[in-house]
Each structure stands twice: as C-alpha cells, then as structure tokens.
Amino acid sequence: MISQLALRGILILCLLAFVSGCVEKKRLPIVPLPPTEETVQGLLLQADAAWQARDYRQSRQLYDILVSELLTAGQLNTAWERLAISSLQTQDYARAQDALIRWALLDPKLRLEWFWHEYRVLALLGQGKEIQAEDYLRQILRQPESSWPLRSAAGIRLSEILRHRQDYLPLSSLFAELYAAAPEDQDRAELERVVARIARDIPDTSLQQLVGSVPPAEIAAFPNVVFTWEQRRREARMHPDAWQDSWLAMQRLLRQGQWADPQPFVEDLGALQEQFGTPGICVGLVLPLDGPLAETGWKVVRGAEAGRKVLEADGFPVRLEIVNSQATDLQEAISALAPECRVIGGPIQRDVWEQLQENSLLTSQRRFFTFLPTMGDAVAEGRQAWRFFGGPQDQVHALTDLAMNQLGIYNLAVLFPQDRFGAHMEGLFSQEVRRKGGYIGGMQSYPPEQHAEWGEAVAALLGVPAQQRRGRQERVVLPRPPFQAVFLPDSLSDAEVLLPQFFYYDEPRLLILGTELWSQSWLQRPRHTELQYFRLAAMPGAWWPDNPAPAARSLAEATQAQGLAPDFWVALGYDFARFAPRISQPQYTSTPDSLNIHLAGVTDFDWSMAPLSWNEKGQARQDLFLFQPTSQGLNRIEPTDLRNQLDRVRERYAR
C-alpha cells in the first residue's frame, strides 16, 4: 500500500508533466565557452599540418578561425599570411584580398616586397577586376619612392596582362616609361634582354603591327629598336634570299639604336652571319678619270671613298668598283664588274650615256643611276635607268614655290636666250606657273652672244621704248610692268650683262629668278663686284656649304682631314656611296617595279646635298636649296626676310 507522502509526490510529478506538455518550452541560449589555451594550440597544430600537407581548403578554414583568437604577434602574422595564400589557392579571392591587407597592417615592410604585390594582383584578377589590377601596377611603376626592383617587376607583370589578352601596342609606351625610370645602365641592359625575350613570343602579325605603328623617327628608341630587331631577325630566318637587306637593317639598328648594352644583339647577328654568311656589298661608278672632266670625276671618287669609310666604320663592308668612262673598252669594263655590283652611279657625260644606250647595257640586270639632269628621250626614267641628280623641273619647282607660295607673286615674266636650253626652261617655267594658278605677264627672248641687242630685249619686256629712261628725260614716266618677278634661264656671266639693263630702264624692284648655273658659278668666284644688281636675286642649288645636316657636317670633317674643301660633286659621291647599298639587294633590283617601290619608301636617309626622293614610278626629284648671293658667297633664303627686302625696295622706288 502506497503511503500518503509517496502518492502526493506522484501527483505533483504528473501535474508538472501535464503542464510541461501544454506550455511551450523555453530554451536558454547556449553560450560557448572560449577555447582554452589547449584548444588554440590544437588548432594551430591542425592548421600547420593542413598547410604542410597543402590541404589549402582545410588550412583556410582553420586559419580563418585562428586570426580571431589571441595569438602572439608571430603566430598572427603567420596566420594572416597562410590565410591569404590558402584563400588564393582555393579561389576565395575576396577573402584573400582582405587577408593580404590585414597581413600588411601587421608587417608594413611587406609593401616593399614584390611577392606581396603579386598576391594583390592575383586577388584582383581573380575577382575579374583586370582594370583595377592594371591601375594598381601602374601606380607602383610610377612611384618614384619605390625601389627599382619593385617598379621593374610591376612593369613586367603589367606587360604579361597585356600580352595575355593580346594587346601588344601599349607595350611600346610601357617599356619606354620603364626604361626611362631605370637608375643604372646595368638595369637598362637587363630590361633590353627581358624585352628581347618577350618580343620573341609575340605572334608575327602582331609584331608587324607593333613595329608598323612606330613613326620612323622613333624606330631607334627603346623598346622600338628591340621589336624592330626581332622583326628583322625573323625575316632573316624566313627569307634567306633577303639576308643582305636584313643584315643591312640590323647593322643600322646596332649603329643608330638606343642600347645600354648592344653585345647580346651583336652576338645575335653574329649567329645569323655564321648561318647565312656576311653579305658582300659592291657599289659601281662610271666616271671620267682622265680627260677634260677628270677633276670632276675624281671629286666624285673622293666623296664616294669618304662615304665608304663611314659605312666601314659603322660595320658595313662596302667595296667600290670604278670604271673610267674615258676607257676605249668601256663596255667590256662595265661587263667585268662583279655580279654583286647591281647598282652603278654615273656617268656624268652625255656622250658616254648615249654610248651606253647604243651598246644595250641598260637592258642588263644592273641598275644605272645617272649623274645627269635628264636622260634623253630614248630612255624611260624609272624603267631603264634612274637619276641621282636634280633636273630642270626641280629648279622651276623651287623658284615658283618661292615666288608664288611664299612671296605671293603670281604675275611673272620670262627673259630667255634663243637657244635649246632657254626655250626648254621657258616652257617648263611657264607651264609650272600656270599649273599653280599664276600668270605669265611678260615674255621676251634675245639672241645669244649678241650683247648689243640685249638692251632692246629688256626694254621690250618692260614695255618701254629702247634707249629711253627717266635719267635722260625727266618728264618721261616709265610704265610699271605687269609682273613682279622675272625668270632668266641663262649663265651667270650673261646675267651680269642683262641685269644692269633693268636698272638702266629704272626698274630695280623686280625679283630676279636665276638657275642653278648661277649658284654653282657664284661659289667658284673669289669676289663679286656686281653684287648691287643681284640684291633681289634668288638662285637654286643642290650644295649648301653651311648645311647643318649631320651628313654634311661629317663630310666636311672627312674632307678637312684630307686638306680638301667639299663641293657638290664630292657630296654627290659621298651620298651615292652611302645610299646605293640600301637599294642594291636582289629583291629590289630584280625588276623596275620592285626598285621603284623601294625607292619611294626611302624617307630616312641623311643627305649631305639637297635631298632626293623618288615617286612610285621611279622619277627623281631634288628639293633644291634657294640662295641669295652675298660678297662672301651664298646665304640660304629666308622668305620673310626677302619679302621685307622687296617691300623696302618697292617703297623706295615707288611710282
């Protein structure tokens, strides 16, 4: 029998059970106890084991817990480091980015180390933030306080991003900026080697586009010179038949390029030379070495020899082969030239040129570049032969450009001798004036050698009665001619007889346009007693003694060492000997069309005389200098000064 006390206890328990079943249970929150020191040490051991086993997922999870615990400075530093790297390994790039920043807050020296910045870049790229990654690298590159190794690594890493997406054009400016920041030559030399390795991995088409985007004037600058070098190196291997052209171009790059240490590239070229050989370059010349024009011929030879020595000093072994145009066996001598003498300069004599035509020498594979203003009607310029010489059209172009385009004179006249040369020049001049929108307001010829009649010719041109001038009859008012400039295509000696006639008829205000014969003669005269008649004269010329161009200065130094003074003919030989190797490769000389295309593309040659150029048809043009005569020689014309001078004379003699 159950006692009363026990029964009461049972009832209370039942009641509590009933109530608990009817009332919602309330659970008190469970607050985890902080890990004990033993637990943290255990986690550290587990995390280290995962790290050592390269279980980066487990490592990331454990170190993610540990960075929130009370660790020593060393332990916390390691935890953030391993969390950052484990996050990168498991592609949790956002957490990696945060961990890297926290890690650097503990150890600021990390920002001086490249590997930490590389992790930052990887984290940005992993999040798809490529633009931010590039900006981050540029910021490092452009921080002057950053060490060179850091800036260098940032620049190279940025180039990797660009190359990965095949964006090669920005490489030029990127490496130029990095090269400029390099503190020492050894740093620049190492960068040259790095870029050379990078260039070898750029696809052919992209490399061609990269080099093609560089202006010619910037080819020699780094890194363009390295990219161009790589392009030429590939051409040499892919096109052995064009080896001479590649070799010349690479020699030019070595000589003109911006190098801190060219030795690796010299060795690179040496390896190519072992494979393909050293090209032989020959320049042929046909010149008078005796007879009336021997002095001129030897001037060309001396200039060519000076040009050969310049090339030799720069690593271009050029050989000159010279044929005496006065030789009785001229045809045999030209035929005996070495086969590699594919480009021949000369002759300078019209009769020798006609002899070469008669002997059918122009039909061979040799390409003649004559030193004559014209080649005659029987020869097609740019097909059978080429000019390395200015022509009459060049003189006319220079004079009309000065008068019309620079001085604003559109009414011009021509006073010319009644001979073949005078008539030809008058026709060219009148045609050019009309083509440029000008007007021939006067034209008069005169008989050569008959000086007594020249005064009447001048009077007729000016529209005044012969022998009538204001100086004799003060009441006579002479009419003003309908032109402001006169072209006088004759020799300087004849011009000295003609020009005083203009002053006789009280007309000193005209711009007088002479030919190249005037400038050539003026340079050869020790004194000029009739200068007052030439004070408004302009004359073209291919040789300027005071030309500041580098080639002209180099020629002057070379001839000065020999006790000689350079002139046009010396400059002609000097330029030809340096120019011919650039066009003598078989792929250029094989056909007239290929040669013409190459000639038209030559725009970077350093001329000692007035520059020559060729159009796509192989027709030459020389941009002649324009001079005013002085008692000391010739001064190159400054159009503004000449215009002011004309205005002062017109004001003084106004009527």
Side-chain angles (χ1 to χ4, degrees):
M1 187 167 184
I2 302 174
S3 66
Q4 187 69 26
L5 181 61
L7 182 61
R8 184 181 296 175
I10 292 172
L11 290 173
I12 292 171
L13 289 173
C14 291
L15 179 61
L16 290 173
F18 175 77
V19 172
S20 65
C22 298
V23 179
E24 182 180 356
K25 295 181 179 179
K26 292 186 178 180
R27 298 174 182 245
L28 295 175
I30 300 175
V31 180
L33 296 175
T36 65
E37 183 176 347
E38 292 77 10
T39 304
V40 170
Q41 291 300 321
L43 288 174
L44 284 171
L45 290 174
Q46 293 179 51
D48 183 68
W51 172 263
Q52 299 299 336
R54 298 185 180 181
D55 184 352
Y56 294 112
R57 188 169 299 280
Q58 180 72 6
S59 171
R60 177 177 60 82
Q61 292 173 352
L62 292 171
Y63 281 116
D64 206 3
I65 296 171
L66 284 166
V67 293
S68 300
E69 302 301 328
L70 293 175
L71 304 178
T72 67
Q75 290 172 336
L76 189 58
N77 188 74
T78 300
W80 280 118
E81 175 186 4
R82 292 182 176 181
L83 175 59
I85 296 173
S86 298
S87 298
L88 287 173
Q89 292 290 344
T90 55
Q91 300 181 1
D92 188 351
Y93 297 110
R95 185 56 171 150
Q97 182 84 348
D98 177 66
L100 287 166
I101 295 172
R102 298 293 188 92
W103 181 21
L105 290 174
L106 284 177
D107 185 2
K109 291 183 179 180
L110 285 171
R111 297 181 182 275
L112 303 178
E113 302 293 337
W114 167 246
F115 72 85
W116 183 83
H117 293 285
E118 170 66 9
Y119 291 157
R120 289 287 308 274
V121 171
L122 289 173
L124 288 170
L125 292 176
Q127 297 175 77
K129 298 178 179 180
E130 187 170 299
I131 300 301
Q132 290 92 323
E134 293 179 26
D135 292 340
Y136 182 74
L137 289 168
R138 286 193 176 91
Q139 183 180 6
I140 299 171
L141 170 60
R142 292 170 181 171
Q143 285 178 341
E145 63 273 14
S146 297
S147 67
W148 166 247
L150 196 61
R151 300 173 76 179
S152 174
I156 294 171
R157 184 66 176 91
L158 178 56
S159 79
E160 292 176 2
I161 296 176
L162 295 172
R163 287 180 281 136
H164 183 263
R165 69 164 183 256
Q166 299 183 346
D167 187 9
Y168 298 102
L169 291 181
L171 293 179
S172 180
S173 59
L174 168 62
F175 285 121
E177 182 179 357
L178 194 58
Y179 197 77
E184 304 289 344
D185 272 348
Q186 62 184 12
D187 302 317
R188 286 184 281 273
E190 176 60 27
L191 189 58
E192 289 168 359
R193 293 189 286 271
V194 169
V195 174
R197 292 192 292 270
I198 289 173
R200 296 201 174 192
D201 293 331
I202 299 177
D204 291 339
T205 302
S206 299
L207 182 63
Q208 185 176 1
Q209 292 174 347
L210 178 57
V211 174
S213 68
V214 178
E218 299 177 15
I219 286 293
F222 182 87
N224 304 328
V225 65
V226 177
F227 294 135
T228 307
W229 178 274
E230 174 60 21
Q231 184 187 50
R232 290 296 188 175
R233 191 189 68 83
R234 294 185 193 182
E235 288 177 355
R237 294 189 177 279
M238 294 190 311
H239 305 288
D241 57 328
W243 164 233
Q244 180 171 314
D245 185 27
S246 300
W247 183 83
L248 284 170
M250 295 174 85
Q251 287 281 7
R252 190 160 53 250
L253 289 172
L254 283 176
R255 185 177 75 256
Q256 299 176 354
Q258 182 183 9
W259 305 105
D261 180 16
Q263 188 57 35
F265 301 90
V266 172
E267 294 172 0
D268 196 12
L269 181 58
L272 291 172
Q273 288 180 177
E274 288 183 8
Q275 181 176 357
F276 300 111
T278 301
I281 304 173
C282 175
V283 175
L285 290 166
V286 178
L287 298 166
L289 303 182
D290 53 50
L293 292 177
E295 181 180 0
T296 299
W298 281 108
K299 284 184 177 181
V300 178
V301 170
R302 284 193 290 270
E305 178 62 20
R308 186 197 67 78
K309 288 182 178 179
V310 168
L311 295 180
E312 185 178 57
D314 289 336
F316 290 81
V318 176
R319 184 177 77 259
L320 295 177
E321 291 199 9
I322 303 171
V323 173
N324 186 358
S325 60
Q326 297 296 98
T328 55
D329 59 344
L330 178 60
Q331 182 175 1
E332 292 78 7
I334 293 177
S335 300
L337 290 172
E340 60 266 28
C341 284
R342 287 177 286 270
V343 176
I344 299 176
I348 64 174
Q349 301 138 288
R350 180 71 57 181
D351 59 333
V352 173
W353 179 238
E354 293 173 353
Q355 182 182 347
L356 296 181
Q357 297 175 47
E358 293 171 0
N359 292 327
S360 301
L361 288 176
L362 305 187
T363 60
S364 69
Q365 287 301 308
R366 303 190 196 275
R367 303 303 177 192
F368 281 85
F369 282 74
T370 69
F371 302 152
L372 293 166
T374 60
M375 294 185 295
D377 297 334
V379 178
E381 182 178 357
R383 304 305 302 176
Q384 297 168 285
W386 289 258
R387 276 190 301 122
F388 201 83
F389 208 85
Q393 187 66 47
D394 300 327
Q395 300 180 50
V396 165
H397 176 84
L399 292 170
T400 54
D401 181 69
L402 172 68
M404 303 175 70
N405 296 341
Q406 300 186 62
L407 299 179
I409 298 175
Y410 285 86
N411 291 321
L412 303 96
V414 186
L415 179 63
F416 63 99
Q418 297 167 357
D419 56 21
R420 183 177 179 181
F421 176 77
H424 180 63
M425 294 300 290
E426 177 276 316
L428 291 177
F429 185 85
S430 298
Q431 183 179 8
E432 184 70 8
V433 168
R434 296 187 182 100
R435 189 185 70 81
K436 290 180 176 177
Y439 173 70
I440 299 297
M443 184 178 296
Q444 183 64 46
S445 65
Y446 54 90
E449 306 299 334
Q450 298 181 28
H451 294 181
E453 300 182 22
W454 289 6
E456 296 180 1
V458 172
L461 179 68
L462 296 175
V464 301
Q467 302 300 320
Q468 188 177 66
R469 53 192 286 249
R470 188 162 55 188
R472 293 185 179 181
Q473 299 184 29
E474 294 296 337
R475 296 181 180 179
V476 175
V477 178
L478 300 180
R480 183 173 183 173
F483 47 82
Q484 290 82 50
V486 177
F487 177 48
L488 211 167
D490 206 337
S491 66
L492 181 62
S493 58
D494 284 351
E496 288 179 313
V497 177
L498 284 161
L499 291 187
Q501 296 293 331
F502 288 89
F503 286 76
Y504 178 86
Y505 289 108
D506 198 27
E507 189 51 71
R509 302 166 300 174
L510 300 173
L511 174 67
I512 303 299
L513 305 175
T515 67
E516 191 171 9
L517 295 174
W518 293 20
S519 61
Q520 293 173 359
S521 299
W522 203 279
L523 287 172
Q524 296 171 3
R525 294 188 173 193
R527 295 179 61 85
H528 309 288
T529 57
E530 302 297 328
L531 181 61
Q532 67 269 25
Y533 298 120
F534 291 86
R535 61 186 174 183
L536 294 181
M539 53 192 72
W543 172 245
W544 179 18
D546 299 321
N547 187 354
R553 296 302 93 206
S554 297
L555 175 60
E557 292 172 4
T559 54
Q560 185 178 10
Q562 304 173 14
L564 303 172
D567 64 6
F568 165 73
W569 293 105
V570 177
L572 177 68
Y574 183 71
D575 284 350
F576 185 76
R578 295 182 302 116
F579 185 86
R582 297 186 61 171
I583 60 172
S584 61
Q585 292 83 339
Q587 71 271 24
Y588 298 146
T589 59
S590 59
T591 66
D593 288 336
S594 60
L595 181 55
N596 292 341
I597 291 173
H598 186 59
L599 284 171
V602 177
T603 58
D604 60 343
F605 187 73
D606 184 17
W607 298 91
S608 69
M609 61 179 181
L612 282 162
S613 60
W614 289 264
N615 62 19
E616 66 281 356
K617 296 181 180 179
Q619 297 165 338
R621 168 178 167 174
Q622 190 167 33
D623 293 327
L624 298 172
F625 305 117
L626 281 169
F627 303 107
Q628 272 189 287
T630 72
S631 59
Q632 304 300 318
L634 294 174
N635 284 346
R636 192 175 184 190
I637 286 177
E638 289 292 339
T640 301
D641 295 342
L642 180 56
R643 185 186 300 111
N644 293 336
Q645 187 180 2
L646 279 165
D647 291 341
R648 288 194 300 269
V649 173
R650 290 169 180 169
E651 183 178 357
R652 179 180 177 186
Y653 293 95
R655 68 170 184 265

